[in-house]
Amino acid sequence: MDRAVYDRMSEIEADHWWFSARRDIIRRTIERYGNLPPEPRLLEAGCGTGGNLEMLATFGDVDAFEFDDAAREIAAEKSGLDIPFGALPEHMPHGSTGYNMIGLFDVLEHIEDDAGSLAALAGRLRPGGRILVTVPAFKWLWSQHDDRHHHFRRYSRATLGQAANDAGLTVEHSFYFNTLLLPVAITTRGWKSITQSNTPDDSMPAAWLNTALYRIFASERHLIGRLSLPVGLSICGVMTPPGAQT
């Protein structure tokens, strides 16, 4: 990603509506589908500037790695963890440590070899372990945001499932999310295209608007495991090796 994207992420990810609500969605997904044993070990692959690590640490011991040098330093300072360099699929740190849960939160779309990366991570799962992935949805939603973030692709549930299958994994659960704000996003991106606006999608809005957007987006956590939404700005997938489903 561009340097400015990492800098902005570090400044806003604690409070910005999108980051905050996505953490709530991830937390609820782990609670619902993680099947974590007592004293689990978790890994965040591509932790960025570390905004998810405190939340993940509420479930168990956490490791992480990150490709970008500056982001890695920020994440280490925020979390107090040692955050080594890592680059999927070839460079996996933390030795031979096994994990009960591995998270890639809006990371897979940045990697050219998505199936190879999932396969590499699957090799680090403990028996019964799961990979939890979030990715942006739908190629037709491609915008300047994807260009700035150096995305290779956006996914559908079918193409995410194909990447998992190519990696020798099974998608145990998948669902679209950030659905309620989809009309707003389509309208906003259309307007930016017409006006040639360069305002980043993840700019920090006014406090009142930030609170309203957070409440709308975060409310979707109550639907996880109860109602599958047909579309959304993002997809969440829970993947397991064959025979690991419960």
Side-chain angles (χ1 to χ4, degrees), residues 87-106:
L88 293 170
E90 295 90 357
H91 301 290
M92 288 274 291
H94 300 298
S96 58
T97 305
Y99 298 96
N100 304 103
M101 173 69 70
I102 299 176
L104 294 93
F105 307 130
D106 289 82

Side-chain angles (χ1 to χ4, degrees), residues 37-165:
E39 301 182 1
R41 194 162 194 94
L42 299 89
L43 171 69
E44 184 174 6
C47 68
T49 54
N52 301 312
L53 296 175
E54 182 178 1
M55 178 272 291
L56 292 173
T58 65
F59 290 98
D61 293 331
V62 176
D63 289 329
F65 64 82
E66 169 57 38
F67 177 85
D68 183 82
D69 291 340
R72 192 164 62 249
E73 291 178 7
I74 295 168
E77 183 177 354
K78 283 182 180 180
S79 66
L81 299 174
D82 176 30
I83 311 290
F85 169 84
L88 293 170
E90 295 90 357
H91 301 290
M92 288 274 291
H94 300 298
S96 58
T97 305
Y99 298 96
N100 304 103
M101 173 69 70
I102 299 176
L104 294 93
F105 307 130
D106 289 82
V107 170
L108 198 62
E109 66 273 15
H110 296 273
I111 305 171
E112 188 167 8
D113 184 2
D114 55 352
S117 297
L118 290 172
L121 292 171
R124 302 294 288 275
L125 288 174
R126 292 177 177 177
R130 286 157 170 77
I131 298 175
L132 174 57
V133 176
T134 63
V135 292
F138 298 125
K139 185 178 180 180
W140 55 267
L141 281 171
W142 192 276
S143 70
Q144 290 181 355
H145 174 87
D146 299 281
D147 293 328
R148 289 195 187 100
H149 286 71
H150 299 176
H151 292 174
F152 282 98
R153 67 195 75 80
R154 299 179 71 95
Y155 290 86
S156 66
R157 288 177 68 187
T159 58
L160 183 61
Q162 185 61 57
N165 290 339

